[in-house]
DNA sequence: AATACATGTAACTTTAAAAGTTTCATGTAT
DNA sequence: ATACATGAAACTTTTAAAGTTACATGTATT
């Protein structure tokens, strides 16, 4: 089953973006993520729709953070990507009238809902600025002026 | 992403098997699950390998429970199916040397491990006999003698 | 105005793992 | 001998993310 690595990728680039002065192009982000610019634009579009980043077309354009990292949680990004089911485990036909099947699905669903609630709660507790808080290097480089172009 | 419905399906048939006198054939189980006998045998093979069910070839053969439902938990079956990752969320290249990517993956992995631990703990607390404990009907029918063939 | 650059988007193909299918070998009561 | 049932190999199908190709749209720069 193919894994959804969008959350991991987006968090990665968002933090890098915070270390840049100018906008980041899809091309550069794609190189950073070992992927394609179209995949980057497609995924970043979700974050733009929720107001976390902004995009500018044309020469000198690209993507910039619209909100400080301290105001963005893992949950925010997870939900911005469209909170599809986080589990590979699925239930069988939910329109069944077999009491056994209903009882089985109820038990599995209950456990999954509790686990998902915990996952989202953990995601909610972490803002993006905290992820690299342990790395003094990154905090020092943070917003350091540098020549562009 | 295609969901893994094996756990749901196997729990369903295991409980039905407990209500039967003779062995259940892959054919009958497939009909019950709206699928194919080969899919049933392939999945049931995992449970047989772990000793939860037994299979008998030839005329009058089929599948039978090898352990009482009260001795089987959801976790047992989940693990018997091969405890692959329960999340659709994946991490990016784990062999990276980018500190940001490492920090991001660490945070996501940490949350997922906690959530998975809770899921498995919930699975562990439920034995299969408890799933239909609320249905007096099923308990009454339980092991009732009935003519076969 | 022409050009180079960058996003926006449509319309595909590829990928991975469960699920589904076909076919036949093997084993076992009657 | 026969009918029945599992075991297993060797496929195809399914699903959504990922990857790709191609082009339209918009915007600084010269």
């Amino acid at each position: 089953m193919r894994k959804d690595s969008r959350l991991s990728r987006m968090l990665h680039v968002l933090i890098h973006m915070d270390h840049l002065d100018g906008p980041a192009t899809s091309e550069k982000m794609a190189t950073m993520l070992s992927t394609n610019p179209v995949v980057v634009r497609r995924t970043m579009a979700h974050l733009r729709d929720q107001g976390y980043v902004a995009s500018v077309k044309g020469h000198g354009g690209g993507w910039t953070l619209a909100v400080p990292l301290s105001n963005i949680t893992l949950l925010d990004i997870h939900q911005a990507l469209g909170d599809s089911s986080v589990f590979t485990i699925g239930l069988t036909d939910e329109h069944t009238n077999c009491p056994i099947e209903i009882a089985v699905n109820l038990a599995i669903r209950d456990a999954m809902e509790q686990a998902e609630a915990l996952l989202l709660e953990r995601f909610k507790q972490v803002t993006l600025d905290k992820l690299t808080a342990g790395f003094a290097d990154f905090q020092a480089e943070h917003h350091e002026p540098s020549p562009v172009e």
Side-chain angles (χ1 to χ4, degrees), chain A:
Chain A
M1 186 179 291
R2 173 162 279 212
K3 291 304 184 75
D4 182 349
S5 61
R6 292 178 301 167
L7 176 61
S8 180
R9 282 177 158 179
M10 289 300 99
L11 297 178
H12 183 189
V13 291
L14 285 173
I15 297 175
H16 273 295
M17 283 167 69
D18 193 48
H19 298 158
L20 302 173
D21 281 318
T25 65
S26 303
E27 186 69 38
K28 287 181 180 175
M29 296 164 89
T31 301
M32 190 186 303
L33 296 174
S34 302
T35 182
N36 191 290
V38 177
V39 172
V40 171
R41 287 200 282 270
R42 183 192 295 158
T43 313
M44 289 290 288
H46 290 287
L47 309 192
R48 182 196 53 217
D49 293 346
Q50 298 303 315
Y52 299 114
V53 297
S55 60
V56 173
K57 283 182 172 183
H59 193 112
W63 301 82
T64 51
L65 278 172
V67 173
L69 292 188
S70 57
N71 285 13
I72 307 176
T73 66
L74 301 204
L75 180 62
D76 291 331
I77 303 305
H78 170 68
Q79 291 183 331
L81 293 174
D83 46 5
S84 53
S85 172
V86 298
F87 292 106
T88 56
I89 296 174
L91 304 179
T92 50
D93 175 27
E94 305 230 38
H95 298 303
T96 182
N97 50 13
C98 171
I100 293 178
E101 190 171 3
I102 292 173
V104 164
N105 284 346
L106 188 65
I108 298 175
R109 189 186 302 109
D110 183 54
M112 289 201 298
E113 284 177 355
Q114 289 186 41
E116 181 163 358
L118 178 60
L119 181 74
L120 300 188
E121 178 58 31
R122 289 290 174 268
F123 279 175
K124 191 177 184 178
Q125 290 171 345
V126 184
T127 54
L128 301 201
D129 64 318
K130 288 180 185 165
L131 290 181
T132 55
F135 304 122
D137 293 348
F138 287 105
Q139 303 309 315
E141 285 174 16
H142 195 90
H143 284 310
E144 203 81 356
S146 64
V148 175
E149 298 202 50

